[in-house]
Amino acid sequence: MSAFDDLFAANADYAESFAYSALTGTAARGLAVVTCMDSRIDPLGLLGLKAGDAKILRNAGARVTDDVLRTLVLAVYLLGVQRVLVMPHTDCGMAKVTDTDVHDLTQRHGIDTRSLEFHTVPDQDAALRHDLTRIRTTPFLPDDLPVGGSIYDVRTGRLLPLVD
Ligand SMILES: [Zn+2]
């Protein structure tokens, strides 16, 4: 018995009718999506995508960190990505706390996290615009790369209007 038995059982069923053998690592729809780790978000489903279509980059808060930029460079120049959608969401835990709050919460577990930056989001619209600007102005990505931002509403399943 392991903590992962349910997953291996489900995977055995999945592999029985596996239909993606022919896919390559190139994003078939030329898309990268930066979104949150929130378990309510089904990025492929909500965007009408399937396996093979897009690069999905997830972290707490859908923030454009150095690691996201590094991954986008690889995605654009090596893996067929030609457009980027940054997609935070409503009711995001990262928009409800500050980094100081997180440090206090982890300290209750006896852990000192002050050397970590959590990229919490005091103002979600401002953070999204900041992150879009980060992608648009990095010297490592094409100037004409389409970069859009939209907040996903976890209550309705709808994307809010595109932020330019
Ligand atoms: Zn979130």
Side-chain angles (χ1 to χ4, degrees):
M1 287 282 286
S2 89
F4 308 100
D5 286 347
D6 56 333
L7 306 179
F8 279 84
N11 175 254
D13 291 342
Y14 177 79
E16 281 296 317
S17 57
F18 188 60
Y20 297 121
S21 303
L23 289 180
T24 71
T26 297
R29 299 276 297 272
L31 175 68
V33 180
V34 180
T35 193
C36 185
M37 68 173 178
D38 193 291
S39 46
R40 293 169 290 187
I41 302 171
D42 169 15
L44 297 182
L46 79 93
L47 296 170
L49 303 170
K50 60 184 189 311
D53 283 347
K55 302 297 175 190
I56 310 295
L57 288 57
R58 302 186 74 154
N59 62 29
R63 300 310 311 276
V64 176
T65 59
D66 287 348
D67 193 60
V68 166
L69 281 177
R70 170 190 75 91
T71 306
L72 287 176
V73 168
L74 296 167
V76 166
Y77 295 109
L78 304 180
L79 298 167
V81 165
Q82 299 165 331
R83 51 186 173 149
V84 179
L85 177 67
V86 182
M87 191 178 72
H89 65 101
T90 60
D91 197 40
C92 184
M94 295 292 282
K96 298 175 180 176
V97 293
T98 64
D99 272 37
T100 302
D101 295 332
V102 178
H103 297 316
D104 290 346
L105 289 166
T106 53
Q107 199 156 42
R108 291 183 205 164
H109 296 272
I111 303 296
D112 183 351
T113 58
R114 287 173 298 174
S115 63
L116 293 177
E117 194 174 334
F118 286 101
H119 303 287
T120 50
V121 184
D123 179 334
Q124 205 169 32
D125 285 322
L128 177 54
R129 288 178 195 285
H130 172 272
D131 285 349
L132 295 174
T133 300
R134 235 193 137 194
I135 298 173
R136 288 175 179 142
T137 61
T138 178
F140 301 114
L141 291 170
D143 290 340
D144 59 352
L145 181 71
V147 181
S150 174
I151 293 175
Y152 171 67
D153 187 334
V154 295
R155 298 275 174 248
T156 65
R158 289 187 189 282
L159 286 174
L160 301 182
L162 204 61
V163 174
D164 289 320

